[in-house]
Amino acid sequence: DYVPPDVLTQGVESTRGFLRAVALAQETLVLSLTGLNISVLSPSITDVTQLTSLRMDNNRIETLPPALYDMTNLTSLSLQDNKIDHIGTDLLKLTYLNHLNFS
């Protein structure tokens, strides 16, 4: 799995926590990576296209990658307290999304 450099620089425990969360998400379909200082949604996150819930609060994400819009099973997406200043119409591709938090 690809670990974002932002997580690697935080040390072994953060890296292990990230990898555990991604591995568990493949079973539970829920991924929470809050407060890890992540600036980019990496492929290790967006490749889990069957996720139903993605929580990336309290990070440094500025833009949403096109791969996010392939995560069509998402029902909940929370990116609270990031640096996102624009949400494109591609978000409409997430037709099952019923909870969205960008505040």
Side-chain angles (χ1 to χ4, degrees):
D1 283 330
Y2 171 83
V3 179
D6 304 323
V7 175
L8 288 172
T9 60
Q10 294 178 52
V12 173
E13 288 306 312
S14 290
T15 301
R16 284 184 185 151
F18 176 88
L19 292 171
R20 272 193 300 268
V22 171
L24 184 61
Q26 293 183 15
E27 294 176 24
T28 64
L29 305 182
V30 173
L31 180 58
S32 180
L33 295 170
T34 61
L36 290 178
N37 221 19
I38 295 171
S39 61
V40 176
L41 286 173
S42 70
S44 56
I45 298 167
T46 56
D47 282 353
V48 189
T49 58
Q50 68 274 22
L51 282 181
T52 58
S53 178
L54 176 59
R55 185 175 192 118
M56 299 283 299
D57 301 331
N58 303 313
N59 284 292
R60 296 181 303 124
I61 299 165
E62 294 181 11
T63 60
L64 300 177
L68 176 73
Y69 308 116
D70 294 332
M71 301 176 77
T72 55
N73 290 325
L74 280 179
T75 59
S76 177
L77 175 61
S78 186
L79 292 158
Q80 181 177 327
D81 293 325
N82 278 282
K83 298 177 183 253
I84 300 167
D85 61 1
H86 175 74
I87 302 169
T89 57
D90 284 338
L91 196 63
L92 297 173
K93 293 178 182 177
L94 303 178
T95 56
Y96 292 110
L97 195 64
N98 58 37
H99 177 262
L100 177 63
N101 187 355
F102 276 97
S103 60

